[in-house]
Amino acid sequence: MRGVVAEGKLRWGALLAVTALVLVAAGIYAVGAYQRFEESRTAASSVGITASQPLPAGPFILFRNTATGQGYGNAATVPLESPGGIRALSGQECDRVYGTPNEVVCLKTNRGLVTAFEAAVLDRNWEKQRAWPIPGIPSRTRISPDGSMIATTVFVSGHSYATAGFSTATEISFPDGTSGNLEDFALMVNGERLLATDRNIWGVTFAPGQSDVFYATAASSGRIWLVRGSLSAKTLTAIHDHVECPSISPDGTRIAYKKNDGGALAAHWKVAVLELATGQETVLSETRSVDDQVEWLDNENLLYGVADESIAGDSNIWKLGIGAGSQPSLFIAHAWSPSVVR
């Protein structure tokens, strides 16, 4: 009996020793990877950059810089008339950005012993005005045209819309610090309230000139809808099927979005446009899968990010007209999360 006990202790000791070695090795690897990442961030940038400066006075594009070297991951701007020109880097690291002429919302990951996620509102000089914790990995954000409301979507579980079983949390926040979770709104489908508990809401876009109205995606039991939201009534009303990550045009007449034509197990998102007045849908000519919330450059052209398959962690912003036969063209290289600010 003593031999069996001794043998068991030896096995446990060996297991603990192996576990300790694995943890030490993992720690050494993690430290080394972090050091290599930090070294890469101090290298010369692969694109033309200037130091941080206030938001431009004229129209500009706000985006996340993904060019290797100094400023990787930082919010940046270029003039609207010169998207391929020298980019002005801020000192703010962001996963997602969106802006108005006077402020920027930055969704970011704060890495440390415990990783946390944050939404921050920055002024024209990139100074933090307010911030609040968000409950998961940053995914989408929008600001209402008058700057009074900020929408955030995060992944509470999963890290991609192509992942089975993902779960999101979407909130609209106000300047006084209050906020509303859209899962608390009544979801109306075909005139009846849907009471299912497996609801997901994501990808808010605010209607121009209508302070009470927004659009978003709602999903439940394998179905996906474009919903029209009312802040005062706290309702989400389904108006069209198979619409993900909507974005309303500047004139408020169209919704651009991604539309999955690949099925639940192999998602492939086409870019489509919906005429709100008629319900007519047009699927555009982009053949790559676009997992982004499209941004309108103007009433006739769209912007969106596509990952660069040749460079890990890099992406590019593309332009696509909504006219028949329009083909995508590179708009800003090494960039992500475009926001057109006028």
Side-chain angles (χ1 to χ4, degrees):
M1 185 68 181
R2 290 180 179 178
V4 173
V5 172
E7 183 178 350
K9 289 182 177 180
L10 286 173
R11 287 179 178 175
W12 275 109
L15 178 60
L16 290 173
V18 171
T19 301
L21 287 173
V22 170
L23 290 174
V24 169
I28 292 173
Y29 176 82
V31 170
Y34 179 77
Q35 289 176 339
R36 289 191 295 273
F37 174 72
E38 287 300 308
E39 288 171 0
S40 71
R41 286 175 54 83
T42 60
S45 176
S46 58
V47 297
I49 60 173
T50 61
S52 177
Q53 52 190 270
L55 293 178
F60 62 94
I61 306 291
L62 168 72
F63 59 95
R64 180 179 187 259
N65 174 53
T66 63
T68 56
Q70 182 183 355
Y72 176 86
N74 287 20
T77 64
V78 289
L80 182 60
E81 71 273 11
S82 181
I86 293 176
R87 56 192 68 180
L89 291 179
S90 75
Q92 297 286 347
E93 295 181 40
C94 302
D95 299 320
R96 272 279 180 180
V97 292
Y98 206 77
T100 70
N102 296 309
E103 65 182 15
V104 170
V105 60
C106 166
L107 304 189
K108 61 189 302 185
T109 301
N110 294 322
R111 294 177 175 84
L113 293 176
V114 177
T115 298
F117 306 101
E118 177 185 80
V121 176
L122 314 171
D123 65 14
R124 287 187 49 80
N125 296 309
W126 301 100
E127 296 294 331
K128 185 182 295 187
Q129 300 302 297
R130 58 190 177 99
W132 60 96
I134 50 179
I137 300 170
S139 172
R140 308 284 188 245
T141 188
R142 284 292 190 268
I143 305 179
S144 62
D146 64 1
S148 65
M149 296 176 285
I150 294 172
T152 60
T153 295
V154 303
F155 286 110
V156 178
S157 64
H159 63 279
S160 167
Y161 294 101
T163 302
F166 74 85
S167 177
T168 60
T170 297
E171 295 185 343
I172 293 180
S173 301
F174 303 92
D176 63 2
T178 61
S179 63
N181 189 320
L182 296 191
E183 289 194 8
D184 296 330
F185 282 40
L187 176 56
M188 309 299 294
V189 180
N190 297 326
E192 297 184 0
R193 183 170 183 175
L194 188 66
L195 299 176
T197 58
D198 67 337
R199 298 186 304 167
N200 267 326
I201 317 294
W202 69 90
V204 168
T205 184
F206 293 102
Q210 302 180 69
S211 60
D212 188 56
V213 177
F214 64 92
Y215 295 87
T217 295
S220 179
S221 302
R223 295 191 62 188
I224 296 176
W225 305 275
L226 171 68
V227 294
R228 177 185 171 99
S230 168
L231 288 167
S232 60
K234 292 191 174 181
T235 56
L236 303 168
T237 303
I239 62 173
H240 200 81
D241 290 343
H242 308 301
V243 172
E244 297 186 57
C245 299
S247 178
I248 194 164
S249 60
D251 62 10
T253 64
R254 305 180 188 95
I255 295 280
Y257 54 98
K258 63 178 192 176
K259 177 184 177 71
N260 185 10
D261 68 351
L265 299 179
H268 181 276
W269 288 288
K270 301 285 287 185
V271 180
V273 174
L274 178 71
E275 296 281 349
L276 287 172
T278 65
Q280 180 181 350
E281 178 185 81
T282 302
V283 178
L284 304 183
S285 55
E286 171 65 84
T287 59
R288 296 167 297 182
S289 184
V290 177
D291 184 8
D292 196 11
Q293 186 170 13
V294 173
E295 169 76 341
W296 290 81
L297 176 61
D298 49 44
N299 285 313
E300 302 298 328
N301 295 280
L302 308 174
L303 301 178
Y304 50 87
V306 176
D308 191 320
E309 295 182 355
S310 64
I311 307 174
D314 198 2
S315 53
N316 301 295
I317 294 173
W318 294 79
K319 173 185 172 182
L320 179 65
I322 64 173
S326 179
Q327 295 298 311
S329 59
L330 183 62
F331 190 71
I332 304 178
H334 313 299
W336 177 249
S337 190
S339 174
V340 179
V341 183
R342 289 184 170 86

